Amino acid sequence: MGTGFTEQVPDLYSLLQVQQCASYDELKQSYQRLVLKYHPDKIGGHQSPEDQVAAQDMFVAVDKAWKTLGDPTLRKEYDARLNEKTVSQEFPVDEEITLADMDFDEGRVPLSRCVLVPLSLW
């Protein structure tokens, strides 16, 4: 899976308004609450057309999130992709650093907890 793919991973947990460590029952309860809130039949004609479209979009998104997180196998795959995205954002392991990019101070003692012991003392 390339970096471009992981950048497109939506946060389904936020969409369902639960934490990533939520249990199956917590996911299901939140899904049911949100589906009732955004269901097209529950919205009725008392909202503007824009609000109705937004609610329908949210209903579809919540349903897709549930189909992914409600299935243990798909949830495990999703979590792996989400974690890959997080790691790739936090740790640029593919960055190249040249010697020219580094700063060397000849007269300065490096700040380190390691003590260099000459080999002759071993």
Side-chain angles (χ1 to χ4, degrees):
M1 287 179 212
T3 306
F5 179 74
T6 58
E7 290 174 3
Q8 300 172 14
V9 178
D11 189 353
L12 301 181
Y13 292 103
S14 293
L15 190 62
L16 287 180
Q17 300 175 359
V18 295
Q19 293 183 356
Q20 189 170 355
C21 60
S23 68
Y24 176 84
D25 290 333
E26 290 170 324
L27 287 167
K28 184 176 180 180
Q29 184 179 21
S30 183
Y31 163 74
Q32 289 172 338
R33 178 179 49 81
L34 292 170
V35 128
L36 285 175
K37 180 179 179 179
Y38 295 110
H39 196 280
D41 292 340
K42 295 284 184 177
I43 296 169
H46 62 278
Q47 291 187 354
S48 70
E50 295 84 18
D51 289 342
Q52 289 179 2
V53 169
Q56 289 173 353
D57 291 345
M58 188 66 167
F59 175 80
V60 170
V62 165
D63 190 55
K64 286 181 180 180
W66 168 249
K67 287 179 180 175
T68 299
L69 298 179
D71 180 299
T73 305
L74 293 177
R75 183 178 181 180
K76 185 181 278 189
E77 291 173 8
Y78 170 77
D79 286 344
R81 288 195 332 254
L82 190 63
N83 289 336
E84 180 182 323
K85 175 185 173 186
T86 303
V87 168
S88 68
Q89 288 176 346
E90 292 177 4
F91 305 104
V93 294
D94 60 346
E95 292 278 329
E96 287 187 25
I97 300 175
T98 64
L99 286 175
D101 293 335
M102 296 183 190
D103 230 358
F104 293 102
D105 291 333
E106 294 289 330
R108 203 169 140 211
V109 177
L111 298 175
S112 174
R113 294 184 183 175
C114 298
V115 177
L116 298 176
V117 179
L119 290 176
S120 62
L121 295 177
W122 280 44

